[in-house]
């Protein structure tokens, strides 16, 4: 039983290492086995297999009257299932691509409101909706703009500041 518990603990340690040393195994084997295993030799997959082999083997050995061979077979089957699920989950997450992050040019023409009044020669603050989220930006304007006024973005001055003009109705 000690061997099985040891394998389970080694698998957990490997899983922790995979969080710290992400992609190291793939980097070591880079180019050697390209496309052969398609992600099956990743550290999380190996860790899932080893830990499930160990813990399942220990459970089968400790709770049933079956011997080490049956515990090993049950552990290997559970390990293969855990490895397959880990591979599937990691490949699914790797395929999940989010939309591109908004750039400065995406702010042009965006409407919003003034949060802190904008003086003629200084900065104030405006609230804009960027990717459906409210975001505060430092704002400059050619004319003074009072708090609460509606504005349009004319230009992005930096990643955190914009040039605005008041909306005239």
């Amino acid at each position: 039983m000690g061997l099985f518990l040891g394998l389970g603990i080694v698998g957990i340690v490997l899983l922790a290492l995979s969080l710290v040393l992400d992609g190291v195994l793939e980097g070591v084997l880079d180019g050697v086995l390209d496309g052969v295993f398609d992600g099956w030799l990743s550290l999380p997959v190996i860790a899932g297999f080893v830990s499930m082999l160990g813990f399942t083997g220990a459970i089968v050995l400790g709770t049933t009257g079956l011997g080490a061979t049956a515990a090993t077979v049950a552990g290997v089957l559970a390990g293969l299932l855990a490895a397959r699920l880990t591979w599937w989950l990691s490949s699914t997450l790797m395929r999940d691509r989010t939309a591109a992050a908004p750039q400065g040019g995406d702010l042009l023409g965006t409407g919003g409101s003034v949060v802190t009044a904008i003086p003629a020669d200084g900065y104030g603050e405006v609230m804009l909706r960027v990717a459906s989220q409210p975001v505060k930006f430092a704002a400059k304007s050619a004319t003074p703009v009072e708090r609460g006024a509606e504005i349009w973005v004319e230009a992005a001055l930096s990643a955190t500041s914009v040039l605005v003009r008041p909306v005239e109705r």
Side-chain angles (χ1 to χ4, degrees), residues 99-126:
Q103 303 293 317
D106 297 335
L107 296 174
L108 299 179
T110 302
S113 61
V114 177
V115 176
T116 304
I118 305 170
D121 293 335
Y123 282 91
E125 290 181 317
V126 295

Side-chain angles (χ1 to χ4, degrees), residues 46-63:
I46 293 170
F49 174 78
V50 171
S51 63
M52 284 303 289
L53 167 74
F55 290 134
T56 302
I59 290 169
V60 168
L61 195 61
T63 59

Side-chain angles (χ1 to χ4, degrees), residues 50-121:
V50 171
S51 63
M52 284 303 289
L53 167 74
F55 290 134
T56 302
I59 290 169
V60 168
L61 195 61
T63 59
T64 66
L66 303 174
T69 303
T72 302
V73 169
V76 166
L77 292 176
L80 288 173
L81 179 63
R84 172 72 174 140
L85 289 174
T86 304
W87 174 81
W88 174 80
L89 180 62
S90 62
S91 64
T92 300
L93 290 173
M94 292 300 288
R95 281 191 310 267
D96 184 30
R97 302 288 182 211
T98 59
Q103 303 293 317
D106 297 335
L107 296 174
L108 299 179
T110 302
S113 61
V114 177
V115 176
T116 304
I118 305 170
D121 293 335

